[in-house]
Amino acid sequence: MDIKIFQMDEKDLEILKDILIRDFDEFWSFNTLKEELECTNSYYIVAKDNNIVGFAGIKKILDEVDLMNIVTQKSKRNFGIASMLLENLINKSIELGASTMTLEVDENNSPALHLYEKYNFKKVGLRKKYYNGINNAVIMTKDLKNF
């Protein structure tokens, strides 16, 4: 699988519009992604073979970066795409001068928890009933200063 990472643009967003709910997860709507793409503090990327197979984004606030999402196409999971996206965003965060990267992840999302732990994110807190008023979110952070 020959996958390359690109900065997301309006064309990518239009392609995602028609396949977002069918091929990816329901958490990120087209309108939410459009707002993120238009935000000057946000940076979004796409993973492509011939098609978009994943996307991810960060938002920089002062010297911190929040990992907003990493989403891989349902049929392309477990091929290392999320790792490629995360590595790209970690490097971009360092380039932007961020000292930490923070995220929330559903405590029941074992694949995502494993991914973040693999990249040395540390569990620092819990947000009760964060997802749909039911599932807790684990707050994780990574020190980028000594990376």
Side-chain angles (χ1 to χ4, degrees), residues 10-20 30 48 51-52:
E10 299 266 338
K11 241 170 90 174
D12 297 320
L13 191 58
E14 285 303 315
I15 291 167
L16 283 170
K17 183 178 190 177
D18 295 329
I19 62 170
L20 194 57
F30 171 78
K48 296 181 181 181
N51 302 301
I52 296 174

Side-chain angles (χ1 to χ4, degrees), residues 91-103:
N91 290 331
K92 182 65 176 181
S93 298
I94 292 167
E95 181 185 312
L96 292 171
S99 59
T100 59
M101 180 182 272
T102 303
L103 61 91

Side-chain angles (χ1 to χ4, degrees), residues 1 7 9 15 22 39 51 59 65 71-72 81 83 90 117 128 132 146:
M1 198 180 316
Q7 186 169 353
D9 61 24
I15 291 167
R22 182 188 73 223
C39 177
N51 302 301
K59 184 173 282 186
V65 166
V71 186
T72 303
I81 297 167
S83 291
I90 289 170
E117 287 168 350
K128 299 243 184 227
N132 302 321
N146 302 314

Side-chain angles (χ1 to χ4, degrees), residues 93-124:
S93 298
I94 292 167
E95 181 185 312
L96 292 171
S99 59
T100 59
M101 180 182 272
T102 303
L103 61 91
E104 294 99 14
V105 59
D106 189 318
E107 68 182 352
N108 298 315
N109 188 342
S110 297
L113 285 165
H114 177 72
L115 172 68
Y116 300 133
E117 287 168 350
K118 178 175 134 183
Y119 284 90
N120 297 316
F121 282 82
K122 305 293 181 218
K123 295 177 182 177
V124 294

